[in-house]
Amino acid sequence: MSIRDVAAAADVSYQTVSRVINGHPSVRTATRERVLATIEELGFRRSVTAHALASGRSRSVTVLTANTTHYGYATILQGIEEAARGASYALGIGVLETADERSVRAEIRRAADTGGGLIVIAYDPAGVRALRAVPAGLPVVGVVETPASPPGADRPWVWTDDRAAAHEATRHLLALGHETVHYVPIPSSTSGTAPRTAGWRAALRSAGAPEPRRVQGGWGPAAGHAAGRRLAADPAVTAILCGNDDLALGVIRALHEAGRAVPGEVSVAGFDDAPGSAYLTSSLTSVRLDFAGLGRAAFALLHGVVEQAAPITPHPVSVPELVVRESSGPPPDAP
Amino acid sequence: MSIRDVAAAADVSYQTVSRVINGHPSVRTATRERVLATIEELGFRRSVTAHALASGRSRSVTVLTANTTHYGYATILQGIEEAARGASYALGIGVLETADERSVRAEIRRAADTGGGLIVIAYDPAGVRALRAVPAGLPVVGVVETPASPPGADRPWVWTDDRAAAHEATRHLLALGHETVHYVPIPSSTSGTAPRTAGWRAALRSAGAPEPRRVQGGWGPAAGHAAGRRLAADPAVTAILCGNDDLALGVIRALHEAGRAVPGEVSVAGFDDAPGSAYLTSSLTSVRLDFAGLGRAAFALLHGVVEQAAPITPHPVSVPELVVRESSGPPPDAP
DNA sequence: CTGAAAGCGCTTACAG
DNA sequence: CTGAAAGCGCTTACAG
């Protein structure tokens, strides 16, 4: 069924039907209502394909991401979907399987083929590379780590201030009396210093705490476990900050296996406040980041870019909040 | 840039370009190569929109699901994405916010508007309702719980045998010497008996174990925690099977708070084998389900339906595997 | 093996 | 306020 069928049934030309479904003002009220009634009656739905081809606009957004299952990524996706659905935008997903330049470009092409806007999650090398490689002219929004310097208005980016969050978590542990805080990082997205690392380091420095040797990190509990084993072997370690809650899970497990009590002997704090973290034994002190809000903000920004409505300002979306639970406490030798 | 530009540059008609990009056989090799070279040189990409409009086919699939972040859902999604990308299909997502009939139908319409196939994850009332409400003629594949009876060939469904999995997990606990096994269910998707519940019950029955009173379940750790508190209060409880690992997390936490040791006093087993489960303290005995494989199978089936190639047979995708870890052991009074 | 015509279902100026 | 024409970039028969 096409607008011609509707036109015939409503006894108008198909252009008038087009005007009605596009909310064009210059249609007599009586005509509009007749057409609307006919559309309802016939169950007509405009072909999004034909609309996209004829108009050159597509009301769709594709998310480019290296991962769809990790808590942060999945929740950003959820926020984007929510906002997209609210705006009647179709949502597509393209996964960046590797950070390889060729395959990243291939994924961008595939995403661009859909004709809609792009949201790139740039938390890892693949995402960072993708965000850089998007050709000019394509509407794109980046979900990024805290930038080192404020990005220009030509960079529609959103982020949560994870540098400040790492700073706060580190300060929390130091304030409990720990001499210093070890850090198990998530993989850095670029060659520079990751914001979480930077925040942790800054907090140590301003407290005059010595900066411990770097630890090898990762994304999941297995990496946390490996890091935890090494840290557990060092009796001087009394406080560990982890780049995410999955790492913290593995670290706590390793400490437990080594017979070191949490938080009695070692305090642990995570990052993200994943849904399970409050139910771990011991429940995990963590920094809550509003990933869903971040996703919604990313879509809102893209929507602004595409419809050229609002002026675009890159901005942090929310202030992360430290949630103190059982896993952090004073060091063993505290008074 | 269109096929006309390519045609002009290659000095052929645009129909010939169309033939070349569609792999039509009747093109002279020399012509084909010239056109291909021109396409490469100009960086031409066929408009998917125009292709879809003209051909009526769209090489895309939309996943309809009530959730995108829970481990099972997210991993199925990941499997579908992988397979779709491999087949050069675009992947869309539509979330069923409520199980309300009106909004479910609205989501189906939105998904159908894209012109591609549908995969519906029917693990919950919203998904089940959506799968039922898809109008005939639309290519659709269902990812379902183990069906009570084998579905007909007109129902392209995939599933893992979670009934057998629940049976096996229950038998494992009984074999350790427990008198019976309590079950904390995930919400059932329909009014009938859920397959996990059925498998658990069948195992109890065939072992002659008494069936305990039903426990209120849910999806997340909070629900597990609530259920766990109630179960912890009953000293007769020595073994608990949970409908997923998140529930188990909450249950273990509640047992811990009540001072009941796992597995010393109470054994706990989960379902899904989520990535963190092996790193919990105690590490969780769980049933591993191949959700990614399920997603890939769902896409393969849809691909078959859309291209009308393979004959469609609904089928279970893989055999779940029980992973025994620390959280399950003999009951306290065992010899 | 290759070209000319019609059409997919819309939108976008252009008339009136 | 409403209609007739051209076009978006392809595909699908139909000729030759």
Side-chain angles (χ1 to χ4, degrees):
Chain A
M1 180 188 334
S2 78
I3 54 173
R4 288 169 209 266
D5 301 301
V6 175
D11 204 32
V12 293
S13 75
Y14 62 85
Q15 288 89 339
T16 296
V17 177
S18 174
R19 284 192 193 93
V20 170
I21 59 186
N22 286 298
H24 197 95
S26 66
V27 178
R28 219 170 27 164
T29 308
T31 312
R32 172 188 316 283
E33 282 172 355
R34 185 149 38 93
V35 170
L36 250 20
T38 309
I39 286 175
E40 173 74 16
E41 191 181 325
L42 266 47
F44 166 79
R45 304 216 97 210
R46 161 166 78 186
S47 157
V48 294
T49 308
H51 174 260
L53 181 59
S55 73
R57 274 162 290 152
S58 99
R59 294 189 76 74
S60 77
V61 54
T62 300
V63 179
L64 245 33
T65 178
N67 184 281
T68 57
T69 60
H70 286 148
Y71 175 66
Y73 291 89
T75 309
I76 289 171
L77 210 58
Q78 183 186 10
I80 295 172
E81 192 281 334
E82 222 176 285
R85 181 154 36 87
S88 299
Y89 268 55
L91 175 67
I93 293 193
V95 168
L96 306 161
E97 182 99 42
T98 73
D100 166 59
E101 189 75 33
R102 259 182 64 85
S103 75
V104 164
R105 287 187 183 277
E107 265 314 293
I108 292 178
R109 271 195 300 274
R110 266 168 53 77
D113 280 349
T114 67
L118 258 51
I119 294 178
V120 179
I121 303 186
Y123 281 176
D124 42 65
V128 168
R129 195 159 288 175
L131 187 53
R132 277 211 201 97
V134 173
L138 239 100
V140 57
V141 162
V143 180
V144 300
E145 291 187 313
T146 311
S149 55
D154 58 326
R155 304 234 174 285
W157 290 352
V158 294
W159 64 90
T160 58
D161 195 344
D162 53 350
R163 195 201 293 125
H167 195 283
E168 187 180 352
T170 306
R171 205 171 41 186
H172 159 69
L173 291 166
L174 292 172
L176 286 167
H178 296 275
E179 225 166 78
T180 189
V181 175
H182 292 252
Y183 178 56
V184 182
I186 52 172
S188 106
S189 63
T190 60
S191 52
T193 301
R196 298 185 185 187
T197 302
W200 160 70
R201 191 171 286 157
L204 292 183
R205 201 161 294 169
S206 69
E211 181 177 329
R213 214 159 54 78
R214 278 203 102 119
V215 182
Q216 167 82 19
W219 283 108
H225 187 251
R229 285 178 70 156
R230 258 171 264 125
L231 290 168
D234 179 355
V237 173
T238 66
I240 305 172
L241 175 64
C242 298
N244 70 31
D245 284 2
D246 272 346
L247 287 169
L249 178 63
V251 164
I252 291 178
R253 168 86 197 175
L255 290 168
H256 177 258
E257 287 171 359
R260 303 198 64 186
V262 176
E265 297 175 62
V266 184
S267 286
V268 178
F271 227 105
D272 290 357
D273 194 28
S277 298
Y279 292 90
L280 296 178
T281 346
S282 5
S283 64
L284 187 65
T285 292
S286 190
V287 184
R288 181 175 300 161
L289 303 181
D290 181 13
F291 287 117
L294 194 58
R296 287 190 296 265
F299 179 80
L301 202 55
L302 183 77
H303 198 252
V305 171
V306 169
E307 321 244 309
Q308 291 157 351
I312 305 311
T313 323
H315 61 291
V317 159
S318 65
V319 182
E321 175 197 358
L322 181 68
V323 184
V324 178
R325 299 204 184 88
E326 297 167 355
S327 70
S328 59
D333 56 356
Chain B
M1 179 189 332
S2 79
I3 54 172
R4 288 171 209 266
D5 302 301
V6 175
D11 205 34
V12 293
S13 74
Y14 61 85
Q15 287 90 339
T16 297
V17 177
S18 172
R19 285 192 192 92
V20 170
I21 59 187
N22 287 298
H24 198 96
S26 65
V27 178
R28 217 169 30 165
T29 309
T31 312
R32 172 189 317 281
E33 281 172 357
R34 186 150 37 92
V35 171
L36 250 20
T38 309
I39 285 174
E40 172 75 16
E41 192 180 323
L42 265 47
F44 166 80
R45 305 215 97 208
R46 161 166 78 185
S47 157
V48 295
T49 308
H51 175 260
L53 181 59
S55 72
R57 275 164 290 151
S58 100
R59 294 189 76 76
S60 78
V61 52
T62 300
V63 179
L64 245 33
T65 178
N67 185 282
T68 57
T69 60
H70 288 148
Y71 175 66
Y73 291 89
T75 309
I76 290 171
L77 210 58
Q78 184 185 10
I80 295 172
E81 193 281 335
E82 222 175 284
R85 183 154 34 86
S88 297
Y89 268 56
L91 174 67
I93 294 191
V95 167
L96 304 162
E97 182 99 43
T98 72
D100 166 60
E101 188 75 31
R102 258 183 64 85
S103 76
V104 164
R105 286 187 185 277
E107 265 314 293
I108 291 177
R109 271 197 300 274
R110 266 169 52 77
D113 280 349
T114 67
L118 259 50
I119 294 178
V120 179
I121 303 186
Y123 282 178
D124 42 66
V128 168
R129 195 160 288 173
L131 187 53
R132 277 210 202 98
V134 173
L138 245 119
V140 58
V141 162
V143 181
V144 300
E145 292 186 311
T146 311
S149 55
D154 59 326
R155 305 233 172 286
W157 289 352
V158 292
W159 64 91
T160 57
D161 195 344
D162 52 350
R163 194 201 292 126
H167 194 284
E168 186 180 354
T170 306
R171 205 171 43 185
H172 159 69
L173 291 166
L174 293 171
L176 286 167
H178 296 274
E179 225 166 79
T180 189
V181 175
H182 292 253
Y183 178 56
V184 181
I186 51 172
S188 107
S189 62
T190 60
S191 52
T193 301
R196 296 185 187 188
T197 302
W200 160 71
R201 191 172 286 157
L204 291 184
R205 200 162 294 169
S206 68
E211 181 177 328
R213 213 158 56 77
R214 276 203 103 117
V215 181
Q216 166 83 19
W219 282 108
H225 187 251
R229 285 178 69 157
R230 257 171 264 125
L231 291 168
D234 179 356
V237 173
T238 67
I240 306 173
L241 175 65
C242 299
N244 71 31
D245 285 2
D246 271 347
L247 287 169
L249 178 63
V251 165
I252 290 177
R253 169 86 198 174
L255 290 169
H256 178 257
E257 287 171 359
R260 303 198 63 187
V262 176
E265 298 175 62
V266 184
S267 286
V268 178
F271 229 104
D272 291 356
D273 194 28
S277 298
Y279 293 90
L280 296 179
T281 345
S282 5
S283 64
L284 186 66
T285 292
S286 190
V287 184
R288 181 175 298 160
L289 303 182
D290 181 14
F291 288 117
L294 194 58
R296 287 190 297 264
F299 179 81
L301 202 56
L302 182 77
H303 198 252
V305 171
V306 170
E307 320 244 309
Q308 291 156 349
I312 304 310
T313 324
H315 62 291
V317 160
S318 65
V319 181
E321 176 197 357
L322 180 69
V323 185
V324 178
R325 300 204 184 88
E326 297 166 354
S327 70
S328 59
D333 55 356

